Amino acid sequence: MATDRPGPLGDEHVEHLGDGRVGHLGDEQVDHRFKGLPPDAEGLTVGALAAQRRDLFTGGFTTPVLALSAESLAHNLTLLETYAERHGLAFAPHGKTSMSPQLFERQLAHGAWGITAALPHQARVYRAFGIRRIFLANEVVDAAALRWLAGELDRDPDFRFLCYVDSVRGVELMDEALRAAGATRPVEVVVELGAGEGARTGARTEADCAAVADAVAAVTTLRLAGVAGYEGEVPDADGDRVRAWLRRLVALASEFDKAGRFSGPDGADGPDGADGPDEIVISAGGSAWFDAVADVFAGIPPLSLPVLKLLRSGAYVSHDDGHYRRLTPFNRVPEEGSLEPAFRLWAQVVSRPSAGQAFLNAGKRDAAYDLDLPEAQVVRDGRTGEVGPATGLTVTGLSDQHTWVSTAEGTDLEVGDWVGLGLSHPCTSFDKWQLIPLVEADGTVTDLIRTFF
């Protein structure tokens, strides 16, 4: 029997860093499209503005402005790299979190196998910046998207793409579109096992999964590469239920292997150019239960091919001050380290209409609010520039362009002060900002992070 694939690190990952295309983002011109940036930087390139190393508070940036901590970002990237290496996991962080090629480049430099996508549009962004390995955690049935995919695979023999299948009808639609497009390389697919009744996508039973695998085997445009799913959708999730589902996923891979389902159609080239696949992909892992994934995947039995144990957590890159601060697996395994919240949204007090109330100039257009309201953390005095804790301040609501703040009796807060807000849910924080200042602890802006939502 073959042994597991080696850990995700090694010399080969260096070739997946985007071929220098990310560097051209610095040539983009700063203008009215990008909120929070200094008005007097109009006409500069992004690279030129970053090279000036302006201070976030005194360098002309306007409020509200979202800041990404340079130190916390570096810490989080290193922590997940070492975690994946320690547990023998390959890592394809979910790019939907940031949609930032600059952060993808850094994730790849920190040992990521590739980048996960949720939609074909996201995959197009990845390809525009040279990402060579994409795991799309969804079934793709859009004929136009499949035509594009067939063209990308035919054009670039080094491009590897995998996506979910969870229905016989989905397989039919994929096959029809790929044949119409004249695809010459089969698309690698993984059967998605649903997390249970009432959960999100995925074939609900092992019999359903087998029927999907049979449908894949009946066409030449697809090749079964493995199994996958998302344990974060397990109903009433706890450690036992999540691990039970993960064991089902591993057992499904084992049964498929015993049945010879991963042998591939005759003459089909695997990712290394050989006939058939050269590994079996087993993938799971959001940002709340990757400790359970590591535990269960450590016990995957020997299969007929090496196993690519692929983790897909994405929110770690910035972490947060709410939802994932509560849910992170590092709360359960503190000996493995801890993530650091990297976002802080700075807004100014624009109204202090009463002793018990204040309003900031940030709102739903600027701050994530789908899981938790922002959290007032620090105040920068508008007169002295001194920063202290946001004692007595509680965010009670958001309007489109205002944050409602309740102020305790005696709170020393006045119009013009800056309030630093912690945010909950990275995915809906990144998507509100096209250029995000990367800021060192002393306030120096060292780079600007471009997003593509």
Side-chain angles (χ1 to χ4, degrees):
M1 290 289 185
T3 58
D4 284 349
R5 175 191 176 94
L9 300 181
D11 292 340
E12 70 164 1
H13 83 271
V14 175
E15 67 180 5
H16 299 292
L17 296 185
D19 304 325
R21 301 178 207 182
V22 169
H24 293 300
L25 289 172
D27 299 332
E28 191 166 17
Q29 198 168 72
V30 174
D31 57 27
H32 60 276
R33 293 171 296 161
F34 306 117
K35 60 185 180 181
L37 300 191
D40 67 351
E42 181 96 14
L44 292 177
T45 65
V46 170
L49 176 58
Q52 291 181 353
R53 296 180 64 85
R54 296 194 187 194
D55 185 273
L56 183 72
F57 305 107
T58 63
F61 289 86
T62 64
T63 57
V65 60
L66 182 65
L68 183 65
S69 164
E71 293 86 357
S72 294
L73 172 65
H75 170 85
N76 294 343
L77 289 168
T78 298
L79 181 62
L80 259 292
E81 175 185 16
T82 57
Y83 183 89
E85 184 177 23
R86 184 183 307 125
H87 292 280
L89 301 170
F91 188 31
H94 212 315
K96 72 174 176 63
T97 298
S98 71
M99 286 304 295
S100 170
Q102 290 153 285
L103 297 185
F104 299 162
E105 184 175 61
R106 292 186 64 172
Q107 289 171 314
L108 291 165
H110 278 270
W113 171 93
I115 305 293
T116 295
L119 298 169
H121 163 71
Q122 294 167 357
R124 289 184 62 202
V125 173
Y126 300 2
R127 289 297 290 160
F129 288 90
I131 303 299
R132 292 188 177 136
R133 290 174 176 167
I134 298 173
F135 184 102
L136 199 151
N138 233 331
E139 188 168 64
V140 181
V141 295
D142 184 314
L146 289 163
R147 282 197 300 274
W148 168 82
L149 174 61
E152 284 294 292
L153 288 168
D154 288 349
R155 182 180 62 82
D156 184 357
D158 293 325
F159 173 37
R160 187 173 183 194
F161 175 91
L162 300 96
C163 70
Y164 283 174
V165 285
D166 79 347
S167 65
V168 172
R169 177 58 177 157
V171 171
E172 292 172 352
L173 289 168
M174 292 184 75
D175 176 56
E176 179 182 323
L178 290 168
R179 282 189 290 105
T184 60
R185 286 178 61 190
V187 172
E188 293 185 79
V189 295
V190 292
V191 172
E192 182 192 5
L193 174 66
E197 288 302 324
R200 205 161 61 187
T201 56
R204 290 295 189 253
T205 68
E206 282 74 3
D208 292 338
C209 289
V212 175
D214 287 340
V216 171
V219 302
T220 59
T221 54
L222 305 176
R223 183 178 63 247
L224 186 64
V227 299
Y230 175 47
E231 75 290 340
E233 281 289 312
V234 170
D236 301 316
D238 61 21
D240 290 340
R241 290 187 178 93
V242 167
R243 283 173 174 80
W245 179 84
L246 287 164
R247 286 191 288 270
R248 282 182 62 198
L249 184 69
V250 169
L252 181 67
S254 182
E255 289 302 313
F256 277 10
D257 189 44
K258 289 177 184 177
R261 294 186 183 277
F262 298 123
S263 60
D266 291 341
D269 285 344
D272 63 353
D275 286 347
D278 64 357
E279 64 189 3
I280 296 169
V281 178
I282 305 178
S283 178
S287 295
W289 293 103
F290 54 75
D291 57 331
V293 174
D295 289 347
V296 174
F297 279 15
I300 293 175
L303 302 180
S304 63
L305 292 166
V307 176
L308 181 72
K309 305 173 183 179
L310 193 60
L311 184 68
R312 307 191 308 272
S313 311
Y316 82 98
V317 69
S318 67
H319 197 46
D320 74 3
D321 280 298
H323 184 70
Y324 288 108
R325 179 178 64 191
R326 296 189 297 271
L327 294 184
T328 176
F330 289 116
N331 291 339
R332 296 185 290 271
V333 287
E335 66 277 8
E336 300 237 39
S338 62
L339 293 167
E340 297 178 359
F343 272 142
R344 179 161 283 168
L345 176 64
W346 288 97
Q348 270 184 295
V349 180
V350 293
S351 181
R352 190 79 159 90
S354 69
Q357 198 171 37
F359 290 89
L360 313 181
N361 64 344
K364 293 179 180 178
R365 314 288 177 151
D366 314 298
Y369 60 92
D370 55 318
L371 296 178
D372 301 284
L373 289 172
E375 174 184 271
Q377 295 180 327
V378 295
V379 175
R380 185 177 187 275
D381 190 290
R383 297 178 187 270
T384 67
E386 293 182 3
V387 178
T391 305
L393 304 188
T394 303
V395 174
T396 59
L398 291 178
S399 300
D400 283 353
Q401 306 291 180
H402 290 91
T403 300
W404 295 59
V405 179
S406 172
T407 58
E409 184 177 355
T411 299
D412 183 16
L413 184 74
E414 64 177 353
V415 171
D417 290 346
W418 291 44
V419 179
L421 302 169
L423 302 177
S424 179
H425 199 184
C427 302
T428 51
S429 298
F430 276 105
D431 70 359
K432 293 172 174 57
W433 296 83
Q434 291 180 287
L435 267 179
I436 303 170
L438 184 68
V439 185
E440 294 183 342
D442 66 358
T444 302
V445 175
T446 61
D447 202 355
L448 295 144
I449 304 301
R450 187 70 158 92
T451 66
F452 291 86
F453 285 94

